């Protein structure tokens, strides 16, 4: 067991240099150990990168490097003494206390199924009885000194007490080696402090999938809707585990007002959790997502985008225009910007196309086709041989489903199935009436007797946001970030198909991960 020493606040801003991956980085020391290890924060980076490093690797930063850290001058030493401390409300005091508690990770790694994952942030797992006994034996300290006054111990009964849970990790800062590892069941999210207890639990846990009901299934990928009021313990354990990788959200353990949507991947034995997001049952701001996490082993595989798209699908089916709860983390903002830009680009591609993406030619007899609306997809040859697709349960659509267009070329395309799922995933939720109202097709005669058609669209930002089911501020932010608001003439923004394709190439816009035909919401 190793004792650690916290660094006084006045010394935490002292900068050092550490060579990491061949690059010198500015760091601040947050804590020291007697064995020479120091816990550092990399200046300008998220605290999920904070780590223990050998103290011998530190080099004092010179004055020129320290001055480049900020453009504002440092206050004089006498300034804090001359200014009285501002009065703090109870809420502000709680937030300050929360930040102090969560400044450092209380577990270095978490053992989750077959994975041993490095944690990112503090999570308020309560102290176990063995940890409570160990903490009282620390030199110069006891469990009661690091707990919130009036709270003696963490018990099953006090599991829902946020104050007790937040204080639960304070005495874990001394842990190292195997004691810095948390053991979590990847089936029920029950947590243990020792590997032996975890192995015994794994042999007995028979949960094969999350509780709740299926709300989306495409092949082996399933999204489960879990009610926090019905499966309270499961959702509390899930929230505690998710907090290891979420920093900007304040964690509350009263899960009654939340729904949890858990994404799993199935094998022949059971469903494996890939990630989850939560949302309030009743949100007066129409937030469609409170927090979202994809487990580190499954990141960069499109699962986060699938859950974001599903959250907007839930809002769309409820007749609302949703948006995520603020503030967003750096990774969350990046993911949502990707979604907003991709949604707008798909819409502009459809809007600024004379023909739908699956129609290369249009043949009409006796009259010219009406190109102002959206043409229906081509009809399938009745004599073509139909092949029965194979796959997981819920993956293949009904082979008898077809597209119907009641009014021929002038009619509206009615989606009766997913026979044309490629087109639908590339250009989803296009309001055909809105498109027809926006579009004007300009046809210019050519010298050889042919004609060239161009689409001209006049619309407001509010109309674009409504057509794509986005908030106006989210749509404006995305358009500005991708550079489509740069060309302005007398307050009018001009967007061409060439500009849209350039952004699509730069941002690597892809098809939707979600297939709306497999959503099982009623």
């Amino acid at each position: 067991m190793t004792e650690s020493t916290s660094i006084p606040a006045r010394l935490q801003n002292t900068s050092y240099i550490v060579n990491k991956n061949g690059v010198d980085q500015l760091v601040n020391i947050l804590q020291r150990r007697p064995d020479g290890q120091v816990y550092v924060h990399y200046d300008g980076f998220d605290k999920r990168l904070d780590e223990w490093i050998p103290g011998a690797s530190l080099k004092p930063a010179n004055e020129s490097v320290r001055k480049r850290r900020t453009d504002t001058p440092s206050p004089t030493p006498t300034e804090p003494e001359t200014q009285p401390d501002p009065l703090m409300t109870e809420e502000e005091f709680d937030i300050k206390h929360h930040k102090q508690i969560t400044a450092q990770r209380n577990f270095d790694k978490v053992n989750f199924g077959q994975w041993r994952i490095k944690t990112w942030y503090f999570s308020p797992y309560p102290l176990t009885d063995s940890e409570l006994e160990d903490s009282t034996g620390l030199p110069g300290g006891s469990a009661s000194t690091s707990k919130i006054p009036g709270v003696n111990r963490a018990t099953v009964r006090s599991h829902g007490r946020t104050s007790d849970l937040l204080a639960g990790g304070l005495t874990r800062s001394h842990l190292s080696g195997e004691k810095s590892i948390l053991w979590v069941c990847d089936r029920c999210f029950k947590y243990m402090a020792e590997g032996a207890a975890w192995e015994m639990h794994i042999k007995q846990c028979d949960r094969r999938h999350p509780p709740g009901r299926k709300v989306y299934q495409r092949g082996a990928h399933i999204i489960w809707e879990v009610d926090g009021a019905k499966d309270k313990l499961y959702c509390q354990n899930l929230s505690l585990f998710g907090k290891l990788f979420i920093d900007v959200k304040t964690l509350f353990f009263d899960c009654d007002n939340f729904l949890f949507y858990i994404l799993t991947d199935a094998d022949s034995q059971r469903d494996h959790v890939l990630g989850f997001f939560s949302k309030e049952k009743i949100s007066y701001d129409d937030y469609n997502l409170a927090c979202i996490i994809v487990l580190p082993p499954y990141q960069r595989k499109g699962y986060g985008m699938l859950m974001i798209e599903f959250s907007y699908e839930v809002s769309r089916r409820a007749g609302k225009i949703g948006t995520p709860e603020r503030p967003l983390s750096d990774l969350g903002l990046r993911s949502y910007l990707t979604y907003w830009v991709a949604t707008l680009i798909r819409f502009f591609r459809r809007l600024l196309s004379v023909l739908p993406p699956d129609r290369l030619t249009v043949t009409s007899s006796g009259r010219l086709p009406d190109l102002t609306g959206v043409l229906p997809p081509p009809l399938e040859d009745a004599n073509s041989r139909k092949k029965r697709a194979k796959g997981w349960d819920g993956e293949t659509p009904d082979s008898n489903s077809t597209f119907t267009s009641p009014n021929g070329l002038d009619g509206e395309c009615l989606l009766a199935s997913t026979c044309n799922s490629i087109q639908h995933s590339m250009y989803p939720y296009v309001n055909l009436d809105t498109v027809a109202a926006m579009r004007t097709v300009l046809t210019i005669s050519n010298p050889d007797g042919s004609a060239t058609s161009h689409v001209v669209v006049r619309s407001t930002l509010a109309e674009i946001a409504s057509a794509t089911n986005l908030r106006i501020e989210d749509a404006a932010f995305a358009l500005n970030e991708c550079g489509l608001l740069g060309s302005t003439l007398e307050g009018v923004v001009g967007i061409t198909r060439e500009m849209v394709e350039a952004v699509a190439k730069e941002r690597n816009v892809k098809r939707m991960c979600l297939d709306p035909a497999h959503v099982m919401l009623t």
Side-chain angles (χ1 to χ4, degrees):
M1 186 177 297
T2 307
E3 182 183 5
S4 58
T5 305
S6 299
I7 303 298
R10 62 184 179 85
L11 298 180
Q12 288 183 0
N13 293 328
T14 304
S15 298
Y16 293 85
I17 291 179
V18 174
N19 188 278
K20 186 176 179 66
N21 300 326
V23 179
D24 288 342
Q25 300 284 358
L26 275 174
V27 298
N28 295 325
I29 301 177
L30 302 181
Q31 202 165 15
R32 293 182 183 270
R33 285 176 176 165
D35 60 0
Q37 294 280 320
V38 292
Y39 192 79
V40 298
H41 169 72
Y42 293 92
D43 190 60
F45 292 89
D46 189 86
K47 66 180 182 180
R48 65 175 174 271
L49 301 178
D50 296 358
E51 60 182 348
W52 289 98
I53 63 173
S57 61
L58 296 174
K59 298 184 296 183
N62 54 47
E63 282 299 320
S64 60
V65 175
R66 293 183 186 179
K67 290 181 180 180
R68 288 200 300 267
R69 294 181 58 201
T70 177
D71 297 329
T72 58
S74 302
T76 59
T78 58
E79 187 174 351
E81 299 179 0
T82 58
Q83 294 182 353
D85 294 335
L87 295 177
M88 299 177 63
T89 64
E90 183 177 355
E91 181 179 0
E92 291 172 341
F93 177 80
D94 289 341
I95 293 176
K96 180 180 178 181
H97 185 61
H98 179 269
K99 290 182 178 179
Q100 291 175 345
I101 293 174
T102 61
Q104 180 180 335
R105 296 193 302 268
N106 51 338
F107 291 102
D108 186 48
K109 294 180 177 65
V110 57
N111 204 89
F112 184 74
Q114 63 174 327
W115 305 101
R116 178 162 290 185
I117 311 169
K118 182 179 180 181
T119 61
W120 291 2
Y121 305 108
F122 175 97
S123 182
Y125 279 97
L127 289 173
T128 63
D129 292 339
S130 60
E131 287 179 316
L132 196 63
E133 293 172 0
D134 291 343
S135 61
T136 56
L138 288 176
S142 64
S144 59
T145 58
S146 44
K147 301 280 281 184
I148 292 178
V151 179
N152 296 323
R153 55 179 294 177
T155 63
V156 176
R157 177 172 296 182
S158 64
H159 182 82
R161 296 182 58 172
T162 304
S163 60
D164 190 27
L165 289 171
L166 288 176
L170 287 177
T171 58
R172 288 199 180 102
S173 60
H174 67 280
L175 299 179
S176 60
E178 287 296 319
K179 288 185 175 291
S180 66
I181 298 176
L182 176 69
W183 302 79
V184 177
C185 175
D186 62 339
R187 297 171 181 248
C188 66
F189 289 91
K190 179 180 174 62
Y191 50 89
M192 285 140 279
E194 298 177 355
W198 177 83
E199 291 179 358
M200 184 177 299
H201 170 81
I202 289 298
K203 294 178 181 179
Q204 300 174 353
C205 186
D206 58 355
R207 181 176 289 279
R208 299 185 60 184
H209 58 76
R213 63 174 183 139
K214 295 180 183 180
V215 291
Y216 179 82
Q217 180 176 5
R218 185 181 183 186
H221 293 146
I222 304 173
I223 296 179
W224 305 79
E225 182 185 73
V226 183
D227 192 332
K230 295 180 180 179
D231 300 282
K232 184 174 299 186
L233 182 60
Y234 182 90
C235 293
Q236 285 178 347
N237 289 340
L238 181 68
S239 299
L240 282 169
F241 183 79
K243 187 62 180 68
L244 292 170
F245 309 100
I246 302 174
D247 180 48
V248 297
K249 303 296 183 183
T250 302
L251 189 65
F252 294 96
F253 293 90
D254 185 6
C255 302
D256 292 2
N257 298 324
F258 287 86
L259 293 173
F260 293 81
Y261 295 89
I262 304 171
L263 175 63
T264 63
D265 187 16
D267 59 19
S268 59
Q269 301 296 323
R270 61 187 181 92
D271 295 291
H272 301 267
V273 175
L274 307 177
F276 72 93
F277 74 90
S278 63
K279 67 180 293 290
E280 290 182 289
K281 295 178 181 177
I282 300 176
S283 174
Y284 296 102
D285 296 313
D286 288 338
Y287 289 138
N288 58 12
L289 186 145
C291 64
I292 182 173
I293 178 65
V294 178
L295 304 188
Y298 307 109
Q299 292 179 355
R300 300 182 179 274
K301 298 180 184 294
Y303 296 131
M305 190 57 58
L306 172 61
M307 291 190 288
I308 290 176
E309 291 171 357
F310 184 81
S311 69
Y312 273 91
E313 172 68 5
V314 173
S315 295
R316 188 187 70 86
R317 297 198 176 206
K320 300 177 180 179
I321 299 180
T323 191
E325 184 178 314
R326 269 59 168 187
L328 293 172
S329 65
D330 57 338
L331 297 179
L333 178 59
R334 189 184 310 170
S335 298
Y336 269 95
L337 179 59
T338 300
Y339 171 78
W340 294 331
V341 170
T343 300
L344 291 168
I345 292 301
R346 296 188 196 110
F347 176 72
F348 287 144
R349 276 178 165 174
R350 185 64 177 268
L351 193 64
L352 299 177
S353 296
V354 177
L355 298 180
D358 55 350
R359 297 295 294 267
L360 300 180
T361 60
V362 174
T363 302
S364 60
S365 177
R367 59 183 176 85
L368 294 177
D370 183 5
L371 301 177
T372 56
V374 180
L375 294 176
L379 297 178
E380 184 179 358
D381 185 1
N383 297 325
S384 64
R385 181 178 180 182
K386 295 182 179 180
K387 297 181 179 180
R388 181 174 178 83
K390 297 181 179 180
W392 295 84
D393 179 28
E395 185 174 15
T396 59
D398 184 6
S399 60
N400 295 324
S401 300
T402 59
F403 283 97
T404 60
S405 181
N407 300 320
L409 290 176
D410 297 330
E412 181 177 306
C413 177
L414 301 180
L415 182 60
S417 71
T418 56
C419 292
N420 203 2
S421 59
I422 294 180
Q423 174 188 341
H424 192 61
S425 62
M426 291 176 62
Y427 307 93
Y429 311 138
V430 175
N431 188 317
L432 303 181
D433 293 333
T434 302
V435 170
M438 291 180 177
R439 290 161 55 99
T440 301
V441 178
L442 177 64
T443 303
I444 303 175
S445 176
N446 296 326
D448 60 355
S450 62
T452 302
S453 296
H454 300 274
V455 175
V456 179
V457 179
R458 293 179 176 85
S459 65
T460 64
L461 178 61
E463 291 173 334
I464 294 174
S466 176
T468 54
N469 202 44
L470 298 178
R471 292 279 182 94
I472 295 179
E473 56 270 24
D474 295 340
F477 175 74
L479 290 173
N480 183 64
E481 287 297 309
C482 67
L484 291 180
L485 292 184
S487 177
T488 306
L489 180 62
E490 297 181 357
V492 178
V493 178
I495 300 176
T496 65
R497 180 60 184 264
E498 289 77 10
M499 296 169 60
V500 171
E501 293 302 325
V503 173
K505 182 177 180 180
E506 177 187 358
R507 299 275 177 167
N508 192 23
V509 174
K510 302 177 182 177
R511 296 172 180 166
M512 281 187 64
C513 299
L514 180 80
D515 189 340
H518 296 289
V519 176
M520 304 166 69
L521 291 170
T522 56

